[in-house]
């Protein structure tokens, strides 16, 4: 039921009380983890269920106040908010519009979501239309292309590195994980909202479209006969499309054959490769090391 929302009582009151009572919308207390009003948040740790539920329903979940605020700044419309009842004031300055705010105890939150919501703040957002690969390429100078990257943690880390190290866009093969899955969004610290992304289809034939847009496709591989990345020529660096494969398996042979140059990050002490997110960050920095800051 609604709590707060009325006029403050006469006499002195704490800032916390004033904030709650001056909210534009009421805060609705949730006591039943099966309450249909919070169906968006059910079983958040079940990847298969969430994959079937979120994209078809046009939603994604943001976890944590920082990520939530970045989603709002990026223009994603909120469907609802779900917070620990003790943290309601963290959202007091937001214009929540028509999106209801639900509050619950940590126990109810855990029963509903399937995990301990230690950040205490969740929000459900509406997805926006994803641009085409052509639209993304037209506005970019340097891009990263991912093949079969299904690990949400790696995907989120790559987006964060891309935002920090001068990559303008991300292109995803049809079998990549969803960048807006909760874990990807959280690991990226909300940077998935800052970097345009698109699906690249067909695969790997779509790499021809990247090349036609003026990019040099650079396939990252630990192969001993690949060109060390620091030896790329200026023309190869000018408009680079860095191509990475999944953790462990790496790039498929078809993707490597469809690229322009096979590139390696030189290793020492017998290490044969890096985690894909770490390798991507190294490659991003190398290509952008001479960019003006």
């Amino acid at each position: 039921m609604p709590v707060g929302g009325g006029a403050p009582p006469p006499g002195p009151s704490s800032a916390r009380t004033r904030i709650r009572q001056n909210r534009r919308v009421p805060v609705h207390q949730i006591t039943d983890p099966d309450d249909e009003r919070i169906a968006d948040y059910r079983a958040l740790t079940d990847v298969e269920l969430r994959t079937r539920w979120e994209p078809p329903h046009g939603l994604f979940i943001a976890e944590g106040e920082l990520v939530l605020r970045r989603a709002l700044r990026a223009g994603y419309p909120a469907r609802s908010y779900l917070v620990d009842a003790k943290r309601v004031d963290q959202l007091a300055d937001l214009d929540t519009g028509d999106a209801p705010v639900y509050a619950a105890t940590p126990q109810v939150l855990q029963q509903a979501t399937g995990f301990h919501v230690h950040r205490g703040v969740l929000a459900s957002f509406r997805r926006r239309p994803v641009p085409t690969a052509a639209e993304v390429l037209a506005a970019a100078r340097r891009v990263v292309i991912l093949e079969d990257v299904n690990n949400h943690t790696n995907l989120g880390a790559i987006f964060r590195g891309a935002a920090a190290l001068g990559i303008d866009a991300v292109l995803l093969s049809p079998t990549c994980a969803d960048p807006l899955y909760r874990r990807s969004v959280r690991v990226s610290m909300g940077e998935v909202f800052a970097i345009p992304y698109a699906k690249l289809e067909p695969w790997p034939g779509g790499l021809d479209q990247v090349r036609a847009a003026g990019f040099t496709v650079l396939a990252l591989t630990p192969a001993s006969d690949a060109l060390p990345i620091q030896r790329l020529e200026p023309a190869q660096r000018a408009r680079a499309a860095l191509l990475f494969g999944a953790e462990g398996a790496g790039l498929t042979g078809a993707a490597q054959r469809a690229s322009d140059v096979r590139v390696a990050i030189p290793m020492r002490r017998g290490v044969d490769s890096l985690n894909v997110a770490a390798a991507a960050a190294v490659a991003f920095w190398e290509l952008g090391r001479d960019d003006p800051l």
Side-chain angles (χ1 to χ4, degrees):
M1 70 179 187
V3 297
S13 60
S14 68
R16 180 179 297 272
T17 300
R18 287 197 301 273
I19 287 173
R20 284 185 176 173
Q21 290 175 336
N22 286 332
R23 293 194 56 83
R24 296 191 179 190
V25 295
V27 177
H28 303 274
Q29 189 71 33
I30 300 293
T31 58
D32 180 2
D34 294 322
D35 192 316
E36 282 303 311
R37 291 176 295 175
I38 59 169
D40 283 3
Y41 305 93
R42 196 151 299 141
L44 292 183
T45 58
D46 188 328
V47 177
E48 184 179 351
L49 185 150
R50 299 307 303 187
T51 300
R52 295 197 311 267
W53 171 265
E54 292 184 11
H57 286 79
L59 67 93
F60 69 90
I61 300 299
E63 178 185 355
E65 183 183 356
L66 183 149
V67 173
L68 178 158
R69 290 178 182 274
R70 286 185 174 171
L72 288 171
R73 285 201 300 270
Y76 286 91
R79 289 164 58 102
S80 66
Y81 302 87
L82 177 61
V83 301
D84 184 326
K86 295 179 180 179
R87 300 199 187 195
V88 168
D89 290 347
Q90 289 182 220
L91 306 185
D93 63 311
L94 296 180
D95 180 357
T96 53
D98 295 329
V101 179
Y102 301 115
T105 64
Q107 293 76 19
V108 171
L109 289 176
Q110 183 166 354
Q111 291 170 9
T113 64
F115 73 105
H116 175 59
V117 187
H118 63 277
R119 289 176 175 82
V121 178
L122 296 166
S124 174
F125 285 92
R126 296 182 180 90
R127 292 177 181 248
R128 298 187 307 194
V130 176
T132 66
E135 291 169 333
V136 164
L137 290 168
R141 181 174 67 94
R142 191 178 296 143
V143 302
V144 59
I145 307 172
L146 305 178
E147 180 187 44
D148 299 341
V149 176
N150 290 311
N151 182 288
H152 293 99
T153 299
N154 283 337
L155 190 62
I158 290 170
F159 267 87
R160 189 176 184 187
L165 298 169
I167 300 299
D168 301 312
V170 179
L171 296 176
L172 307 167
S173 76
T175 52
C176 279
D178 177 14
L180 294 185
Y181 179 69
R182 177 180 59 90
R183 188 173 300 150
S184 296
V185 173
R186 186 190 69 208
V187 171
S188 80
M189 295 299 289
E191 297 300 346
V192 293
F193 310 133
I195 300 293
Y197 68 89
K199 291 287 186 182
L200 185 61
E201 300 177 288
W203 186 263
L207 293 172
D208 290 338
Q209 180 182 358
V210 178
R211 191 176 297 104
F215 291 85
T216 301
V217 180
L218 307 175
L220 270 290
T221 171
S224 59
D225 62 341
L227 179 71
I229 191 168
Q230 70 269 31
R231 295 182 186 168
L232 285 166
E233 297 176 359
Q236 295 170 323
R237 291 170 170 267
R239 297 196 76 202
L242 290 161
L243 175 59
F244 292 90
E247 187 79 18
L251 287 170
T252 61
Q256 292 190 50
R257 289 189 295 272
S259 67
D260 295 308
V261 185
R262 294 164 70 247
V263 177
I265 297 171
M267 301 286 168
R268 294 172 174 81
R269 296 186 176 87
V271 177
D272 63 350
S273 63
L274 295 173
N275 164 276
V276 64
V282 170
F284 298 164
W285 182 88
E286 167 61 27
L287 289 186
R289 59 184 165 82
D290 294 327
D291 290 352
L293 297 177

